[in-house]
């Protein structure tokens, strides 16, 4: 397989939980570079259909080519995964296996022009779909101090959110904040002496918060989980098949908390069985080969095979 520029997280565990079978419809809600999709396709017997979603059109096209090279029928959909239920209903297709890897493809993180990382200087964009919506630079420029503080605190769980927001407002009055390096330095300056003893890079939580805000990530996840609950109740005319398996890989507590509560709720309502009582984590061996897998948490659920 061609070098995809991305190492899939918890890929063995995903395959074991979703158990793709012949004639399954497999939906990868965050296709990225196609790594998970290819492994899921290869683990099934034959005659599967793969539906790929992604906001990054270049990655979606790459992933589609990777999966098609395995002899698999692919339906690519350039859209947010929050539209999965509506799109599958429109196609008249029910999903048997669903995966949502809520992380980012390495080629996105490593490309300074995307503005997702502070490891190199680049424009403060942060959009997954670079053709739609406002950039992080525009958000920073337009939001007032309280709005910025709320975003950084609520979405980044940053204890120094107010201090950082105040510093951003002060600095943008001098000139617009357009680059990742400058924003990272502003956050570091706001931390003051604490920056030297911080376990994380001081900019980590602020960048995460802005990225979540720019892409509406939590709203999309909430919409997806609502559609899973609705789909599990309306299997006759919904988007999920009886016995469908769903897996979600999250990378921070705001995501994982939502997934956990949703899956527990499905089980308590008699709509599904949790396949993971506790989230699966990367092994030390995987972390050594792919450090970005360290925070990943995998949870999975299976809808009941008959309506109760």
């Amino acid at each position: 397989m061609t070098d995809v520029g991305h190492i899939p997280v918890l890929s063995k565990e995903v395959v074991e939980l979703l158990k793709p079978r012949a004639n399954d419809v497999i939906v990868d809600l965050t296709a990225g570079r196609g790594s998970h999709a290819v492994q899921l396709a290869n683990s099934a017997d034959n005659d599967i259909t793969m539906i790929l979603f992604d906001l990054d059109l270049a990655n979606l096209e790459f992933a589609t080519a990777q999966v098609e090279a395995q002899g698999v029928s692919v339906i690519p959909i350039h859209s947010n995964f929050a539209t999965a239920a509506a799109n599958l209903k429109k196609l008249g297709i029910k999903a048997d296996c669903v995966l949502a890897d809520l992380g980012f493809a390495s080629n996105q993180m490593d490309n300074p022009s995307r503005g997702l990382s502070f490891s190199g200087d680049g424009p403060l964009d942060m959009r997954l779909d670079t053709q739609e919506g406002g950039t992080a630079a525009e958000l920073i420029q337009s939001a007032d101090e309280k709005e910025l503080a709320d975003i950084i605190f609520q979405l980044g769980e940053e204890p120094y959110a107010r201090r950082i927001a105040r510093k951003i407002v002060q600095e943008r009055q001098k000139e617009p904040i357009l680059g990742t390096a400058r924003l990272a330095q502003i956050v570091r300056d706001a931390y003051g002496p604490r920056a030297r003893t911080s376990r994380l890079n001081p900019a980590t939580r602020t960048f995460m918060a802005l990225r979540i805000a720019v892409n509406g990530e939590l709203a999309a996840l909430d919409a997806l989980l609502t559609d899973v609950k609705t789909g599990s109740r309306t299997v006759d005319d919904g988007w999920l098949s009886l016995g469908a398996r769903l897996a979600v890989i999250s990378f921070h507590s705001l995501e994982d908390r939502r997934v956990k509560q949703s899956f527990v709720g499905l089980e308590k309502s008699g709509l599904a069985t949790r396949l993971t009582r506790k989230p699966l984590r990367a092994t030390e061996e995987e972390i050594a080969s792919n450090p970005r897998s360290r925070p990943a948490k995998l949870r999975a659920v299976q809808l009941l095979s008959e309506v109760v």
Side-chain angles (χ1 to χ4, degrees):
M1 181 174 159
T2 305
D3 178 20
V4 299
H6 179 76
I7 303 173
V9 173
L10 294 164
S11 58
K12 177 182 177 183
E13 292 83 353
V14 165
V15 170
E16 290 176 348
L17 287 169
L18 292 183
K19 293 182 173 59
R21 298 186 288 256
N23 304 312
D24 271 356
V25 173
I26 303 174
V27 181
D28 189 336
L29 295 172
T30 48
R33 301 291 279 176
S35 305
H36 277 122
V38 166
Q39 295 194 8
L40 286 168
N42 288 336
S43 69
D45 292 331
N46 51 46
D47 297 327
I48 65 168
T49 298
M50 183 74 70
I51 302 177
L52 303 179
F53 283 80
D54 209 283
L55 281 170
D56 187 318
L57 183 57
N59 274 357
L60 179 62
E61 291 174 345
F62 185 93
T64 299
Q66 293 295 304
V67 178
E68 287 179 337
Q70 315 305 311
V72 172
S73 174
V74 181
I75 301 174
I77 299 178
H78 180 219
S79 182
N80 190 296
F81 59 72
T83 68
N87 272 289
L88 265 69
K89 288 179 184 178
K90 187 185 301 182
L91 291 168
I93 296 175
K94 295 183 187 297
D96 300 295
C97 300
V98 180
L99 170 66
D101 177 352
L102 303 180
F104 290 87
S106 295
N107 71 309
Q108 294 171 323
M109 293 298 295
D110 295 338
N111 183 352
S113 70
R114 303 301 296 270
L116 291 165
S117 172
F118 43 80
S119 59
D121 193 18
L124 267 176
D125 192 317
M126 296 194 181
R127 294 173 298 169
L128 292 180
D129 184 347
T130 56
Q131 305 303 312
E132 296 287 340
T135 67
E138 292 168 341
L139 176 59
I140 284 176
Q141 190 63 31
S142 62
D144 63 31
E145 183 176 323
K146 182 180 183 304
E147 290 172 327
L148 283 173
D150 287 345
I151 288 170
I152 296 169
F153 179 73
Q154 293 171 7
L155 302 184
E157 300 181 301
E158 169 58 70
Y160 301 119
R162 294 191 183 282
R163 184 189 299 266
I164 293 168
R166 188 179 311 119
K167 186 66 174 176
I168 287 173
V169 170
Q170 291 172 352
E171 292 298 318
R172 78 183 184 191
Q173 290 173 348
K174 301 174 184 176
E175 61 178 300
I177 303 167
L178 303 177
T180 56
R182 184 171 176 223
L183 176 60
Q185 186 58 53
I186 288 170
V187 175
R188 177 173 285 275
D189 291 344
Y191 257 64
R194 300 178 185 86
R196 292 192 295 271
T197 58
S198 175
R199 182 177 62 84
L200 294 172
N201 185 301
T204 300
R205 295 187 182 93
T206 296
F207 270 65
M208 181 179 77
L210 292 172
R211 187 205 73 215
I212 290 172
V214 164
N215 293 293
E217 294 173 32
L218 294 183
L221 178 58
D222 288 341
L224 171 65
L225 294 173
T226 296
D227 283 341
V228 168
K229 182 177 182 179
T230 302
S232 65
R233 293 182 182 275
T234 58
V235 290
D236 289 340
D237 58 356
W239 66 290
L240 298 169
S241 67
L242 287 170
R245 288 85 67 201
L246 302 98
V248 179
I249 302 174
S250 60
F251 287 82
H252 56 78
S253 60
L254 293 174
E255 295 171 338
D256 182 60
R257 192 177 304 127
R258 282 167 161 78
V259 176
K260 176 184 177 181
Q261 291 172 348
S262 174
F263 286 2
V264 168
L266 287 173
E267 188 170 62
K268 286 183 176 179
S269 299
L271 298 171
T273 299
R274 281 185 291 161
L275 301 177
T276 51
R277 310 308 294 182
K278 293 183 178 180
L280 301 185
R281 307 294 297 269
T283 63
E284 289 302 320
E285 181 180 3
E286 179 174 359
I287 293 170
S289 62
N290 180 18
R292 287 176 177 168
S293 67
R294 183 179 296 278
K297 293 182 178 180
L298 170 61
R299 295 183 187 272
V301 69
Q302 180 169 16
L303 304 189
L304 297 186
S305 57
E306 59 183 49
V307 179
V308 178

